[in-house]
Amino acid sequence: MGKLTIDWQYFVEVLPHYKTALWLTVKLAAIGILFAIVVGMICSVIQYFKVKVLNQIVQVYLEVARNTPLLIQLFFLYYGLPKIGITLSGELCGIIGLTFLGGSYMAEVFRAGMEAVSKSQIETGKAIGLSNLQLMRYVIIPQAFSYSVPGFGANCIFLIKETSVFSGIAILELTNTTKNLMGIYYKTNEALLMLVIGYLIILLPLTLFLTWLERRVRHAEFGN
């Protein structure tokens, strides 16, 4: 078995490429997750209050989004829409795809958090004259947030990992950059090591923060 060697000069040469790819990955993931939170919250409110017609539309959206791979959604946006005269940039397709998929998962997490709020508190809020909007703002959302943090965090990590499929529509994020550099330099071990380090730089701090946040909201809920 040959001895494993590492070309350290390679890291110096490709570091600018990975810095650019890392920033692009973080930017697209952050924007996609932000919009996914908005979409998920809207859908969960519609589901919670069972708004007529809209609830059925949300159900269809959730089924389509959760039962189709992100890569297929991206192919439709990037390669399919130009056939009918709609051309979107790769980055915009990535954000839309991440929002479409992420919104469906966020909706389920937020809905479960809302339904975990005690019915007695809801009835008490109605008894003192709170409207549905006031109930949502002052009673449901603050408590639902603490219940939703674990699932919310898991979804954020999942969506960041899903950016790896952006390489399928020629976005130069971490995975696609690694593939290109492997083809240029033939330094497979070094390239894959940089890829792992890149995702660790993103995910490790986020995981630690989400763990801390979960503990904080649990302490706030039950007292410490």
Side-chain angles (χ1 to χ4, degrees), residues 65 113 124 135 160 173 191 214:
T124 301
L135 277 172
I160 292 172
E173 41 67 61
E214 182 179 352

Side-chain angles (χ1 to χ4, degrees), residues 4 6 8 11 26 31 52 63 65 67 73 83 154 166 191 198:
L4 177 64
I6 297 295
W8 298 106
F11 296 111
V26 171
I31 296 173
K52 292 182 178 179
E63 291 300 323
N67 289 288
Q73 298 171 9
K83 301 296 183 180
F166 287 177

Side-chain angles (χ1 to χ4, degrees), residues 45-223:
V45 170
I46 291 173
Q47 285 185 301
Y48 185 81
F49 288 110
K50 295 180 174 57
V51 181
K52 292 182 178 179
V53 181
L54 291 180
N55 190 39
Q56 295 176 334
I57 294 174
V58 167
Q59 289 293 341
V60 172
Y61 155 65
L62 295 179
E63 291 300 323
V64 172
R66 287 199 292 242
N67 289 288
T68 53
L70 176 58
L71 186 60
I72 302 303
Q73 298 171 9
L74 294 176
F75 281 170
F76 172 78
L77 293 169
Y78 192 71
Y79 298 111
L81 290 183
K83 301 296 183 180
I84 57 174
I86 302 175
T87 302
L88 304 175
S89 68
E91 292 185 13
L92 183 56
C93 288
I95 292 171
I96 293 174
L98 211 59
T99 300
F100 186 76
L101 177 66
S104 65
Y105 284 96
M106 292 296 184
E108 184 62 26
V109 168
F110 294 149
R111 182 192 60 79
M114 291 177 185
E115 292 184 350
V117 177
S118 171
K119 298 299 182 182
S120 62
Q121 295 190 48
I122 306 298
E123 296 302 324
T124 301
K126 291 179 179 179
I128 63 175
L130 295 181
S131 64
N132 284 341
L133 182 60
Q134 290 172 321
L135 277 172
M136 188 61 63
R137 179 179 178 183
Y138 297 112
V139 179
I140 299 174
I141 289 181
Q143 296 182 75
F145 174 74
S146 65
Y147 294 118
S148 302
V149 167
F152 169 78
N155 284 341
C156 288
I157 293 172
F158 163 72
L159 292 174
I160 292 172
K161 291 178 180 179
E162 283 293 285
T163 60
S164 61
V165 305
F166 287 177
S167 59
I169 56 173
I171 297 178
L172 287 174
E173 41 67 61
L174 283 170
T175 303
N176 202 18
T177 297
T178 299
K179 290 167 58 179
N180 289 344
L181 292 174
M182 286 169 60
I184 296 171
Y185 292 95
Y186 299 100
K187 300 289 186 179
T188 303
N189 294 330
E190 291 86 348
L192 293 177
L193 178 59
M194 288 292 283
L195 177 62
V196 171
I197 292 173
Y199 275 109
L200 280 176
I201 290 173
I202 300 172
L203 294 173
L204 187 57
L206 177 62
T207 301
L208 294 174
F209 170 74
L210 291 170
T211 300
W212 171 83
L213 180 61
E214 182 179 352
R215 290 174 180 171
R216 291 286 295 179
V217 297
R218 287 303 181 190
H219 289 168
E221 179 183 356
F222 298 112

